[in-house]
Amino acid sequence: MPADTAAPAPTHPDGPADPVRLHVVTGKGGTGKTTVATALALALAREGRRVLLCEVEGRQGVARLLEVDDLPPRETEVAEGAGGGQVVALAVEPRSALLLYLDTFYRLGRAGAALEKVGAVDFITAVAPGLRDILLVGMVYEATRRRVDGTRGSGGTEPEADQAPDPAHGGAPAGGPVPWTYDAVVLDAPPTGRISAFLGIGDELATLAGGGPIAGQAASVARLLRSPATAVHLVSLLEDLPVQETVEAAAELAEAGLPLGLVVANRVLRPVPPVPADAEVAPALEEAGMAAGPAREVAAGVVDQGAARALAVTAQQRHREALAGLGQPVADLHQVPGALDLAGLYALADRLGEQLP
Amino acid sequence: MTAAAWALDALLDDPATRTLICCGSGGVGKTTTAAALAVRAAERGRRVVVLTVDPSRRLAQALGLVDGGTAEPRPVAGVSTGAGGSLHAAVLDARATLDALVDDALPPERAAQLKRNPVYGSVAGSFSGTQEYMAMERLGQLREAALSGEAPWELVVVDTPPSRSALDFIDAPARLGRFLDGRLVTLLRRPSTPRAGLAAVPAAVAGRVTSSITGGVAAVMDKVLGGALLRDVQALVQGLDVVFGGFQQRALTTSAALAAPGSAFVVVTAAEADALAEARFLLERLARDRLPTAALVVNRATVLAPGAAHLGAEEAGRLAAVLEAAGHDRAAALLRLHAELALTAAAEAAAVQGLLGDHDAAAVATAAARPVDVHDVVALREVAADLARS
Ligand SMILES: Nc1ncnc2c1ncn2[C@@H]1O[C@H](COP(=O)(O)OP(=O)(O)O)[C@@H](O)[C@H]1O
Ligand SMILES: Nc1ncnc2c1ncn2[C@@H]1O[C@H](COP(=O)(O)OP(=O)(O)O)[C@@H](O)[C@H]1O
Ligand SMILES: [Mg+2]
Ligand SMILES: [Mg+2]
């Protein structure tokens, strides 16, 4: 099979071509994958660009974060990008993925219903998670390769088919390929513990797919994933377990030939200047109008808090060094004080946008 | 807060308390809480075993759970035994537990064959819920050992797996039951000529399911999944049937025991919207199933230092500006930090209040966020002290 050049660079008129079109965001559970994936989609959606944000865990985290209604299993516009583009979101779920898959590739829409009747969808989810995963990833793959005129490859089984796009279609620069429906696709992926299996790059899928027709789909997806059109970003907190998992995941992904992107250090604490003694703070508070007694107490309290913060910052810096040691660019996202609301989310998107390569 | 404080020590000191289960969504501090409760109970004179799931490497080191064989409880050093208690700890190894179940249930040859099945590894590794089932199995084993008086412990504290959903642990036996009784599995369970794969099944089950549906399904599955996979899956289902049949029986016994006096659930949460929503679900679910909830633990809470606790975010911001203008930059920075912390503490309190709302059945306990990870017995003791104080 000829090497798949996967996704050609986007042909968007406003701005330099970014080779990366599929951004996979993973990390240990709870480190901020959904937050970072959403912020990244907002950051990438600038100057009229359209970005698809895919959620696969069935948690509706994106909807909650963007303060919109639960996402249906079809592409839905959800937000303005940080720079005037458009973010479209999609909750990919196994049931509709399987039915669509059967219909698209086998013209088996009705058999799909029968499958559902005997619980085959649940069965696939339970016994063959590898198959469920390839269905989910297949949906993301399909969206990544779709063009504005509705053409696409066969969805993966014959990817070389769309290496010769028809230049006659409107909207493309003269002689260039038809533009992609989405300038970028961001995947809020499962946690690092399951990412290899999810992306189908472990041995697991090879065994599971064993020659079945699903293997063709898996192979096309694997080519896209291993191409420069993909970047896998790792989100980490600056704590023991997340850093440990990030380091392990980076090795595993690199081993599998997946292109690593950013390492995102999330919830970075704002450092404090060297903490003064109570004796310096109390008189300053008195000078600012506080009575002597309360000033002494408050001084003791804020000095303790400052010392604790200094300790925490030192620990974070040590963990950040471990992340930097991976050799990938590290992007820092600050801890948003108070509750993380839309304003805080857009602030994270701006901060991330500044640090994109 | 409307909720009652947690009488933790009374619970730990009551010899009738035999099982504590820490549950909650991933990363909130279930392992930390389980270990902290275990340390405190042991130091107050109980003979305790704690089953941890995914402890951080440094916590595992502190508990003596690093080299080989950590699935069997080992004594933990550094815990004071002055009150007559003791602490053992183990790590949950889902694969080893499942392997042992297979070995117990099947003759050696069939067990070996099953473990060689290519799908077995995938099921053992990622069968949605294997960890939950095996956590339940281990809990049952540790309890039995305690009841028989053979084991050196009489109080079992368990941590639960980082499930997609915090409910998975209690749902595991029922879900497994549904799975085993499902029509498709019933269908796969029937032996058929290996070469023909699932397509041969319809004839065998013609009386049960109309063959037009089944035939269609079989054809589609054969086409989509490939015959080799189906044959492996079928062999696996036939093998696991025996294993899980026995397992399910025990899991049901264990989950019944969890409803009886002597067991209590501790719901752990972070003071953040998502974790709190999950905790609320869990509290409601436990109440509906009449499972005893001991407390809601709000872990890693932003707790202001006592002297400054009454100083609000806005006032701190105003003071910081005054101090800056007067050239007291370092003091000003501390007031800015305080404003940030006070804002976060207030947001957290509002989130917890919002979660509890009308749900004030459970006691609430808070553990402060420590500046560094909790990875030794000293820090575990402090976390437990926070919980006992609230
Ligand atoms: N930079 C940040 N500042 C403050 N809170 C954050 C930040 N990033 C994530 N969070 C919070 O952390 C929690 C977990 O984030 P989430 O994106 O849902 O993680 P994941 O998808 O990895 O499970 C959420 O409550 C979220 O609001
Ligand atoms: N109160 C706390 N203060 C500081 N760090 C904590 C606290 N509780 C837990 N941690 C840290 O948070 C991380 C996750 O905790 P863990 O107990 O392993 O969570 P879970 O078992 O729910 O996944 C660990 O690194 C742990 O040390
Ligand atoms: Mg998420
Ligand atoms: Mg844990």
Side-chain angles (χ1 to χ4, degrees), chain A residues 132-167:
Chain A
R132 185 195 66 147
D133 293 343
I134 194 64
L135 291 174
L136 296 178
V137 180
M139 295 279 282
V140 176
Y141 170 79
E142 188 279 330
T144 309
R145 303 175 62 84
R146 200 186 317 141
R147 298 181 187 279
V148 290
D149 62 353
T151 60
R152 61 183 80 138
S154 59
T157 43
E158 294 130 40
E160 48 285 357
D162 58 2
Q163 279 179 20
D166 180 358

Side-chain angles (χ1 to χ4, degrees), chain B residues 54-67:
Chain B
D54 279 347
S56 73
R57 196 175 296 153
R58 292 172 73 184
L59 180 64
Q61 259 160 14
L63 296 177
L65 296 171
V66 273
D67 337 280

